Amino acid sequence: MKENTKTALVVSAHSADFVWRAGGAIALHAQQGYDVHIVCLSFGERGESAKLWRLGNMTEAKVKAARREEAEAAAGALGAAAVEFFDIGDYPMRTDKETLFRLADVFRRVQPEFVLSHSLKDPYNYDHPLATHLTQEARIIAQAEGYKPGETVVGAPPVYCFEPHQPEQCEWRPDVLLDITDVWDKKYAAIQCMAGQEHLWEYYTRVALQRGVQAKRNVGITSKRNIVYGEGYQSLFPRVTENLG
Amino acid sequence: MKENTKTALVVSAHSADFVWRAGGAIALHAQQGYDVHIVCLSFGERGESAKLWRLGNMTEAKVKAARREEAEAAAGALGAAAVEFFDIGDYPMRTDKETLFRLADVFRRVQPEFVLSHSLKDPYNYDHPLATHLTQEARIIAQAEGYKPGETVVGAPPVYCFEPHQPEQCEWRPDVLLDITDVWDKKYAAIQCMAGQEHLWEYYTRVALQRGVQAKRNVGITSKRNIVYGEGYQSLFPRVTENLG
Amino acid sequence: MKENTKTALVVSAHSADFVWRAGGAIALHAQQGYDVHIVCLSFGERGESAKLWRLGNMTEAKVKAARREEAEAAAGALGAAAVEFFDIGDYPMRTDKETLFRLADVFRRVQPEFVLSHSLKDPYNYDHPLATHLTQEARIIAQAEGYKPGETVVGAPPVYCFEPHQPEQCEWRPDVLLDITDVWDKKYAAIQCMAGQEHLWEYYTRVALQRGVQAKRNVGITSKRNIVYGEGYQSLFPRVTENLG
Amino acid sequence: MKENTKTALVVSAHSADFVWRAGGAIALHAQQGYDVHIVCLSFGERGESAKLWRLGNMTEAKVKAARREEAEAAAGALGAAAVEFFDIGDYPMRTDKETLFRLADVFRRVQPEFVLSHSLKDPYNYDHPLATHLTQEARIIAQAEGYKPGETVVGAPPVYCFEPHQPEQCEWRPDVLLDITDVWDKKYAAIQCMAGQEHLWEYYTRVALQRGVQAKRNVGITSKRNIVYGEGYQSLFPRVTENLG
Amino acid sequence: MKENTKTALVVSAHSADFVWRAGGAIALHAQQGYDVHIVCLSFGERGESAKLWRLGNMTEAKVKAARREEAEAAAGALGAAAVEFFDIGDYPMRTDKETLFRLADVFRRVQPEFVLSHSLKDPYNYDHPLATHLTQEARIIAQAEGYKPGETVVGAPPVYCFEPHQPEQCEWRPDVLLDITDVWDKKYAAIQCMAGQEHLWEYYTRVALQRGVQAKRNVGITSKRNIVYGEGYQSLFPRVTENLG
Amino acid sequence: MKENTKTALVVSAHSADFVWRAGGAIALHAQQGYDVHIVCLSFGERGESAKLWRLGNMTEAKVKAARREEAEAAAGALGAAAVEFFDIGDYPMRTDKETLFRLADVFRRVQPEFVLSHSLKDPYNYDHPLATHLTQEARIIAQAEGYKPGETVVGAPPVYCFEPHQPEQCEWRPDVLLDITDVWDKKYAAIQCMAGQEHLWEYYTRVALQRGVQAKRNVGITSKRNIVYGEGYQSLFPRVTENLG
């Protein structure tokens, strides 16, 4: 990683989540000069690859390969610095200390300015909150002087939960609306890499438009900012600032 | 108000609340060039002037005069642009349409970049949440084209709840920690103007120190920011941004 | 009202709310033979008629007349049995005992099978929750034997909150998804009657599509129900049933 | 009131609430030597006297008289020191400053050790939470040195919410279970004074038995305390203690 | 399983839970023609068999055998189609992938119209929420095309939480009240099979009566439905409907 | 343990937590004659020993030894009857059945009157809530007749959560304020044993002063109790009582 480059970390339970839910943030910060590092804990091979399985004559290895290809293409379209696959399996996802330390080591290496992961609850998908809790705990491990003493510990990067599929049922509530209008074309290009989930393309386009309208409303009708597309985030820690304006 | 000067609005139920709870924010933004406008809905003459009443030979008019003097001195110490007294009475505070429109007119006149008021709940003090709801509704009125048509409506300034006396009992939870280290001397000078409530001076100094430690922790132990004093705020609307770092 | 006809009651704070938020439910139940009665507490003349005010040379009376016309056209397009205007003003809306009794009398007269109104909270709009609480209290009054003794009291019709503009900020969470696919054309026709708020047409079309996708997901991918458009509702009372399937 | 006698205050929205919901606490503390003072804000003449209204040939005055008689008999059966009727009307109940000050004056006069009233929410009954909020605010007024200066202010008596009719729907959650086994006979005698609501006698007997079983469980199966009947309470303020056992 | 027969699945942490908490639903749907399949994850041999252990000269095997006999008798009395014992142990209950897949396979085999299990929280019993989460995750696995590809996946059957022992402490809130009046005799017969927990027979009879009264109240005093016994349920997903009446 | 001596149990995730968070309760009850038994699940060797690690030339064994020495000194200063170290590791802490049974056996041996542990949530520290849940489940195991049949089971001792570092972020809300004024000198002596975390001495002194002020306020300004230092606790179960005063 280049000296003085700002960085960010995105932890995605399945290999497509980062596209639908955080593609705008990735593209926007990449455009601002951040090295955005993506970790996909699984390929979503069991739970989010229905279309591939229905093709018939399919194996888990083939599904994973197809999903990897899609995810790499999408990460490229977004301008991410790197995408890494932990391949720990999905439906159900399970984590152990080894996975935890592996992710803590990513925190140490990347030293992110901010972190994105899933919502804290999701009754439709148990892998999602598991990914968030793994991320939170890995961040804590990476902050501890006693873990691999001598290495540079991480600071206290803010953690944001990106939007789940059914926000109200997940008790997710956005307190940050990110204006992604400038990079929408990149996000939509990344979305189109997800050939196996075409039914979601328009769904997430509408999500972006709705969050854009809400962002516009929250800056006020008199504002000159021309916001069309947005992404919602819920922050898990208080932000520290010197200005409330 | 000067052209191009940024502004802020603080709505305080009683004439001392703005000092304990938002004095740091007022001083900090004044120092940054904001015109900070303070509205005190009452003088706290019944409910927060115990020391004066115990002097004996006291009338409500005398209490109000003493409280006004203290509040004006404190506002001056903080560098506020203006302090205005609605004098609507306390314990109990009651509001009507006239008060609502009067405050909406302040919003129209001040056109604040942000707004500070009390927590949404307070089982120890019914005047406090009433002030917040009045503020919220006045902001909504001031946004409406149909209220005094032709006037310039206000945008959507963020609203922050400052810290109540017993935060957990008020279900208040800070999501913003403001670093007020640079202006602590001004806040403490303002606090000292509140001669009638000397028992609270050290209490709110400790509040500021605790929020400072928490702010320090939330930027991370590795940060070079030297935060000593803080103020906590809870935001009522999502913030719109183009950067999550 | 005809003998044996089922009825429903919709209480709308402003004259367009029932269209965006409950148009599908109104059209669907009308199609099923219900007499749907709509009460608009105000015309939204101050707070939701920005486009009219910007025309210039406008008075409150003119705005109300234009809004009434739109609302009546929309109610007609939806097949509602009646639309009634209380004209109690908006921004701010205030209610007194007279309004409460007037609405209780509507409950007594209509004897609704179910009731629709706004969410319980809305930090962007104080008129909305006020309408809901008025509705809830009117329902309670109408149930009381001691209110206008001798009249037929109402039963315990379920009350549903329709969807606010920014659901998560309003702490609104749908527990019912209504399939409005069959009547979408009528809802969209009604939406098009709202000439003054054209910017919302596509917003609420997208809302309907998102709720449709969610409804589809909640009946299961294997279901043969072809749901495209939906409306979300939050119920305020437990439902009583003899079947959980 | 006798010197050195401990006192308690119960604020009941309608004239029967104190019996069903707090009868055990009243009898128990009376037996312990407390002067328990009951305030009934209304007679429940409209909303909770269905049986009387159905008798026909009834007037509000007659209903009130009958309800007063029942309530006085019940208060007597419980050993209450006094029962007072504010007669402010029900369905809907409304309060003004005069009522607030009247109740604050009761606080000043009674100087209660503790206070009982309704739950903070009740979607089935809007009078109930209104009574609680009136009580809370009256307590605050009575604490203020500036209200009728020179009178003895009240301390900070704990406030408990007694059990509503449908606890879960009212978001009421007991954190105190009162063992009323010793005084159950008195509570049941008081319940039997409520001739107009005989359908509730067995309902509230079962409530007492269920809370008794729960109390037994919360002291532990190995405890020798023989708890059969209980009442649940939710406290609104932290309790201050020197022992956690 | 017979072609075209509707089915339901009940997942019970211990072998008696399904009787106290869902016996009415089982009997009612069995009477309506459903094949109701019960899974008992454990026999409750450690935690819910105190009476047996106190007999002395007892082993875990003997306790399990006795509990199995009781549970089978109860399931028979309710008319359940099948009862299956996973025997994974209790106090503490622990689950692994094997148990999860075993339950997912039950979902695939039974293809339930609806699912019943415990509350999401229970500070008195850690096995209960664990059973619910296992059920929820097994449902998700069974929905995934990639789990045992080629098998018929399940749809999205609604999941309901049945009533815990102390509802308010478990943050459980019923949004469905099931009228079980018609099958109460069957439920009480099943309850009487639980010889080892006779102290709970009357407790759960009272629970049924209270929920019956509440159900009656929620359909309204004017309703002709004669509801005496009820069971409360909390739904975990929105229901999809075409009628709100 | 002496016959008839009352006992208490404190479960501390790391070896210093019991000092900052529950030192006052320990000293106060020791002074009242309780045998207070402390279990430290880990030494906090990785996560809470930054100062030691920064000394250089350090090993985990050395850190543990230093932390043990500090904790034993602090326990002594507080007058605790015993302090026991489970040494299960921290950052991350993980528990298995063996640890659970070990702690259940402590419950059986100590038979505590009350139990203290961490908050239920803590986004800054995943070991803390894990300790609480372990404690809760061990208590449940120790209550079960079927766990080590023949041993004396435990009753239902109340469980209190002590104060986390950032209370609002942990959704911790005190409902008990313990007056520790009489034993503050002992708590501060114990705090001074924590040489490795000197930066926290004044922080937790201020916490005690703030909770003292709040306790004073919650007993009322007119009370003669001279409270200066306090500790806050959140109870997890309802308390059973015969007096509400």
Side-chain angles (χ1 to χ4, degrees), chain B residues 62-110:
Chain B
K62 282 193 209 173
V63 171
K64 286 183 183 180
R67 296 279 291 178
R68 172 192 284 268
E69 205 173 324
E70 284 178 8
E72 287 175 339
L78 296 170
V83 57
E84 187 174 350
F85 301 92
F86 274 25
D87 193 14
I88 62 170
D90 73 331
Y91 281 63
M93 185 170 283
R94 290 291 180 271
T95 60
D96 54 14
K97 278 194 183 179
E98 189 187 353
T99 307
L100 178 63
F101 294 145
R102 187 173 170 192
L103 189 57
D105 291 344
V106 173
F107 268 91
R108 287 267 172 99
R109 193 176 77 240
V110 173

Side-chain angles (χ1 to χ4, degrees), chain D residues 31-53:
Chain D
Q31 183 171 287
Q32 291 172 13
Y34 283 67
D35 274 356
V36 184
H37 192 102
I38 301 163
V39 170
C40 294
L41 297 174
S42 80
F43 295 100
E45 59 270 20
R46 284 196 181 176
E48 309 199 345
S49 306
K51 201 171 162 187
L52 289 166
W53 287 108

Side-chain angles (χ1 to χ4, degrees), chain E residues 178-190:
Chain E
L178 188 71
D179 176 2
I180 61 165
T181 310
D182 279 358
V183 295
W184 171 251
D185 56 338
K186 290 178 188 166
K187 176 162 182 176
Y188 196 64

